[in-house]
Amino acid sequence: MSTTIDLRLFGIVFAGAGEQRLSLFYAPHRGVADAYDFHSLAWEYRENREWHMRRVITAAEFENGAERRRWVNGLHYLDPASGQAVIRVAEAERLQPAPQVRLYYSWRSWDLLNNRELEKLQLCARPDAEYEDSQTP
């Protein structure tokens, strides 16, 4: 018996004249109304009017190897030629597990193909802070 997850689109950016997209998906948090957890990032390309998957990074893959709990909180930019994106990451200040944690948010350059951080670009004062850089569209 398969279980269907009710994924919600929490962000999307397009590149390459709309022929490539990076989508941010969250899933409902079990037992808590109106609460969601990061589920995955999906990089897709369009060919013959159909979308095809290029790369998916699940929440477990994104957090793998990190000392602190982290997840994708926002999207800014996708560069399909390099396989890089600018994403907003939420990260706990303490090691896992901890009863109470402070969260820090930052914009980072991310290698989607190899699922690794390339550079921390900007710290955020708020969880919904926009990326401020004139070099990326």
Side-chain angles (χ1 to χ4, degrees):
M1 178 174 175
S2 93
T3 304
T4 303
I5 299 173
D6 181 24
L7 295 181
R8 305 288 170 95
L9 182 66
F10 268 52
I12 191 166
V13 292
F14 290 91
E19 298 297 314
Q20 307 246 358
R21 68 183 178 191
L22 181 62
S23 303
L24 173 60
F25 291 102
Y26 273 61
H29 185 79
R30 285 184 236 149
V32 180
D34 296 326
Y36 297 88
D37 294 319
F38 168 59
H39 180 272
S40 58
L41 277 176
W43 176 14
E44 299 170 287
Y45 66 95
R46 185 167 37 200
E47 187 174 76
N48 298 323
R49 297 184 179 181
E50 291 185 23
W51 288 101
H52 303 276
M53 197 60 62
R54 172 88 187 253
R55 175 77 160 100
V56 173
I57 300 173
T58 65
E61 291 170 331
F62 187 78
E63 205 170 6
N64 188 36
E67 290 182 1
R68 294 165 175 79
R69 185 165 180 241
R70 68 179 182 192
W71 61 92
V72 181
N73 174 258
L75 304 175
H76 175 70
Y77 179 73
L78 169 64
D79 180 356
S82 66
Q84 296 175 15
V86 175
I87 61 174
R88 188 173 49 225
V89 176
E91 189 168 38
E93 73 172 340
R94 295 189 192 152
L95 300 177
Q96 307 180 52
Q100 293 183 345
V101 296
R102 182 179 309 198
L103 299 176
Y104 294 96
Y105 297 84
S106 60
W107 287 102
R108 302 177 191 196
S109 177
W110 204 267
D111 176 348
L112 296 171
L113 294 173
N114 297 297
N115 186 29
R116 65 184 179 94
E117 180 181 327
L118 299 172
E119 182 181 2
K120 193 174 290 184
L121 301 170
Q122 175 184 319
L123 294 176
C124 302
R126 300 178 329 275
D128 61 348
E130 295 296 324
Y131 184 62
E132 298 175 13
D133 181 27
S134 61
Q135 295 182 7
T136 58

